Amino acid sequence: MDEHNLDRERAEDVVSDAEKIDLFRLLHEFWKAVQRLFWIPVALAVLCCALFAARAWWRYTPMYQSEVTFTIQTSNSGSTGDISGSNTYYDKAAAEQLTKTFPYIISSELLQSMLRQELGVDSLNGSVTAYTVENTNLFSLVATSSDPQAAYDMLSAVMQVYPKVADYVIGSTDMYILTEPVVATEPYNDLSVLRPAIKGAFLGCVIGLAVVLLYAATCKSIQDPREVRSQLNQVCLGTIPQVSFKRRSKETEPIVSIQNEKISGEFQESIRRLRMKFLRENETKTAQVLMVTSTLPGEGKTTVASNLALSLSQNGARVILVDLDLRKPSVKKNLGISVQSRGVGYLLTKGGNAQEYLLSVEDSDLRLLADDESTGSLRTKAASRRLNAILKELRQEADYIILDTPPSGLLADSGAVAHLADGTIYVIRSGVPQVSHILDVFQFLGESGAKIMGCVLNGAHGSRSGYGYYGYGYHYGYGYGGYGTKGYGLDRKKRDTKE
């Protein structure tokens, strides 16, 4: 095989691998979208189920039948023209011939005119069909109508006039009645909404899943460290695995910290790699004050900020971790600290010396500045100036100051901090925020003076830590006073004006 063919086969293998990756990613996105948007197929299934059931009920018309059965006999002496003709010998062929010709006879203008005349009406309210029992000379007529009396009258009229017309088709026949027709007392077609309802529910579920699949196919999120570079043009400082713990009743929420003995070595190693990559990137930038933020709540920014701070302090650096998420402070909870303290929120309103409120973290050289309760926001210029003064004071006390700020895709608080920080670390939950939303936040942060050093990909594919039990991940339930997570697509102007 020549070199050209080898190159072509390698190229085809690469394309095939890319297609498999894309298919895997689509299925992964679809499954996550189903978990997040499961209510769409459920709602459509319920809606279509109700619509199909209502349509079946609305379109239901009770129908009644009257039936008469004959035996067909051929007559040696000619037709009597009467249904109760002479009984000669059985002829199943005559019965089959009557069944075959009946649709043409009953639809003929001659018979229709005779029936209308016999009934004394201008139009027939129903229909008449015929069938024969296989291998017999039994011939049956069935009249169907929405009025039971009309069905009976129409069948009686057919019994009177049909033999006269049939004689012209198959010759002289005698029709002997076996069962007399009666007026129906109940409809033969029961109202059934179960089957239409099931059909509607199935159709609605399929449509809902198709909608979710379309959404998953059009979603563009970051799921791989390489995409941080290709989609965002940023350095990936590290990847953090999802942490899982065994859920036990009557236990507090486990601490996602490298100080927790139950944390796996994979998680601890990912934090060490993050620290090393950050230190290499920071050799030329010499950033002392670092802002850690994300697009949405629950992406793991607080976990990354607190564990990076712990790791840097374990490496011999003097580190101060500042909780600047004044609306929803969570750093202390993330570190398992229950001692009461005061932080930036208190200093902005009451004033004071920041060094007096620094809280030492047990079993580490890390110090913490954090409030216990929500104290407002940092969006005013006065608050920004006072915060700058606090940071200048803290710069004298630490090698690194790490600021845990609110999600930048929801609130504008980080914009008041961005120009005060020497660098920004951006945390991205794998597969959660859309690329367009992240880029929108990047623009907002850039206009606010932020200098993004790189991104941390949390929960990347193939990275899973813990024991395979219930996954707590990094979801700690941010509320932000009703903001939810619907505002992550807001542009900068809307974000600046929304409170």
Side-chain angles (χ1 to χ4, degrees):
M1 185 178 293
D2 57 22
E3 186 175 343
H4 176 72
N5 290 334
L6 285 173
D7 292 340
R8 185 175 62 183
E9 288 186 1
R10 289 175 186 149
E12 291 175 352
D13 291 340
V14 171
V15 172
S16 178
D17 291 341
E19 290 176 350
K20 291 178 181 178
I21 293 173
D22 289 340
L23 178 60
F24 174 78
R25 175 170 180 170
L26 177 60
L27 293 176
H28 181 77
E29 285 285 352
F30 175 65
W31 174 242
K32 290 206 305 181
V34 168
Q35 291 178 310
R36 190 165 61 252
L37 304 173
F38 68 92
W39 59 270
I40 293 180
V42 171
L44 287 177
V46 172
L47 178 61
C48 290
C49 175
L51 289 177
F52 274 59
R55 187 182 69 168
W57 176 82
W58 179 262
R59 298 177 63 178
Y60 171 71
T61 301
M63 300 298 292
Y64 301 87
Q65 288 183 341
S66 287
E67 181 177 359
V68 62
T69 303
F70 313 96
T71 58
I72 306 301
Q73 301 167 335
T74 58
S75 177
N76 291 330
S77 59
S79 175
T80 63
D82 193 304
I83 283 183
S84 57
S86 60
N87 183 14
T88 56
Y89 59 89
Y90 293 107
D91 192 341
K92 65 179 181 180
E96 293 174 355
Q97 187 64 25
L98 280 177
T99 302
K100 293 178 181 179
T101 59
F102 182 80
Y104 303 99
I105 296 175
I106 196 66
S107 61
S108 66
E109 182 59 32
L110 174 61
L111 186 59
Q112 291 284 317
S113 176
M114 295 174 66
L115 287 177
R116 289 193 296 268
Q117 184 177 358
E118 182 74 20
L119 294 172
V121 296
D122 296 330
S123 61
L124 299 177
N125 180 21
S127 62
V128 182
T129 57
Y131 65 92
T132 184
V133 180
E134 189 176 359
N135 297 323
T136 70
N137 68 331
L138 297 179
F139 176 74
S140 296
L141 294 175
V142 180
T144 304
S145 175
S146 57
D147 182 359
Q149 187 63 45
Y152 175 81
D153 293 342
M154 186 163 48
L155 185 60
S156 300
V158 172
M159 291 167 58
Q160 293 298 321
V161 302
Y162 180 69
K164 300 176 183 178
V165 179
D167 284 349
Y168 292 102
V169 179
I170 64 172
S172 179
T173 57
D174 295 324
M175 305 171 69
Y176 182 75
I177 298 177
L178 293 182
T179 59
E180 292 285 349
V182 295
V183 179
T185 57
E186 58 184 20
Y188 72 89
N189 60 329
D190 296 331
L191 173 61
S192 177
V193 298
L194 179 60
R195 179 174 295 181
I198 293 175
K199 185 185 296 185
F202 177 76
L203 179 62
C205 186
V206 170
I207 295 175
L209 291 175
V211 171
V212 175
L213 178 61
L214 180 63
Y215 169 80
T218 56
C219 280
K220 291 185 178 181
S221 58
I222 303 299
Q223 300 186 32
D224 188 272
R226 292 170 295 183
E227 294 175 347
V228 174
R229 170 66 71 181
S230 62
Q231 300 291 328
L232 304 177
N233 194 29
Q234 295 291 333
V235 175
C236 183
L237 297 175
T239 59
I240 308 297
Q242 181 171 333
V243 179
S244 299
F245 293 92
K246 182 176 180 180
R247 168 174 278 185
R248 300 179 184 275
S249 58
K250 299 180 181 180
E251 280 192 1
T252 58
E253 189 171 293
I255 301 172
V256 186
S257 167
I258 57 176
Q259 290 184 317
N260 187 348
E261 296 179 353
K262 295 182 179 180
I263 289 291
S264 72
E266 183 184 0
F267 178 82
Q268 296 189 24
E269 181 61 28
S270 67
I271 297 298
R272 281 195 291 268
R273 289 196 300 267
L274 171 61
R275 181 195 70 202
M276 294 170 61
K277 186 68 176 291
F278 161 72
L279 291 176
R280 284 199 300 268
E281 290 291 324
N282 197 41
E283 286 179 354
T284 57
K285 299 176 182 178
T286 62
Q288 182 182 10
V289 178
L290 305 173
M291 182 178 79
V292 180
T293 188
S294 62
T295 307
L296 303 174
E299 292 195 66
K301 64 175 183 59
T302 301
T303 298
V304 170
S306 58
N307 282 281
L308 177 59
L310 283 171
S311 184
L312 287 171
S313 67
Q314 290 177 353
N315 197 44
R318 298 177 302 159
V319 185
I320 296 176
L321 177 59
V322 181
D323 193 341
L324 283 183
D325 194 348
L326 303 185
R327 300 170 186 260
K328 191 77 173 180
S330 58
V331 169
K332 291 178 64 176
K333 178 181 179 182
N334 195 73
L335 293 174
I337 298 175
S338 58
V339 179
Q340 292 186 349
S341 63
R342 291 173 177 175
V344 172
Y346 179 84
L347 293 172
L348 292 178
T349 55
K350 302 296 184 179
N353 190 341
Q355 300 178 35
E356 298 177 0
Y357 299 103
L358 290 176
L359 182 66
S360 296
V361 177
E362 188 177 355
D363 298 328
S364 74
D365 294 329
L366 175 66
R367 289 181 292 175
L368 176 66
L369 184 63
D371 291 288
D372 293 323
E373 299 177 353
S374 173
T375 56
S377 69
L378 292 169
R379 295 171 59 179
T380 64
K381 292 183 178 180
S384 179
R385 288 193 297 268
R386 288 195 291 270
L387 176 61
N388 188 28
I390 295 173
L391 293 179
K392 284 184 178 180
E393 181 183 350
L394 295 178
R395 283 177 184 269
Q396 308 301 320
E397 301 293 323
D399 299 316
Y400 298 104
I401 302 169
I402 298 181
L403 312 176
D404 179 38
T405 63
S408 300
L410 289 180
L411 303 170
D413 296 44
S414 56
V417 183
H419 68 285
L420 302 178
D422 302 325
T424 298
I425 295 178
Y426 201 89
V427 179
I428 301 172
R429 183 75 172 180
S430 175
V432 175
Q434 300 303 299
V435 171
S436 58
H437 303 151
I438 298 175
L439 293 176
D440 178 64
V441 176
F442 280 0
Q443 181 181 358
F444 163 67
L445 292 176
E447 294 173 354
S448 301
K451 296 172 282 293
I452 299 178
M453 297 183 63
C455 301
V456 175
L457 188 61
N458 182 20
H461 294 329
S463 295
R464 185 171 184 83
S465 178
Y467 309 101
Y469 299 121
Y470 176 84
Y472 282 91
Y474 304 120
H475 303 282
Y476 294 110
Y478 287 76
Y480 291 107
Y483 279 93
T485 58
K486 295 182 179 179
Y488 58 76
L490 295 176
D491 58 24
R492 184 176 63 83
K493 292 181 179 179
K494 291 182 180 179
R495 195 162 37 225
D496 288 343
T497 56
K498 194 173 181 66
E499 178 63 31

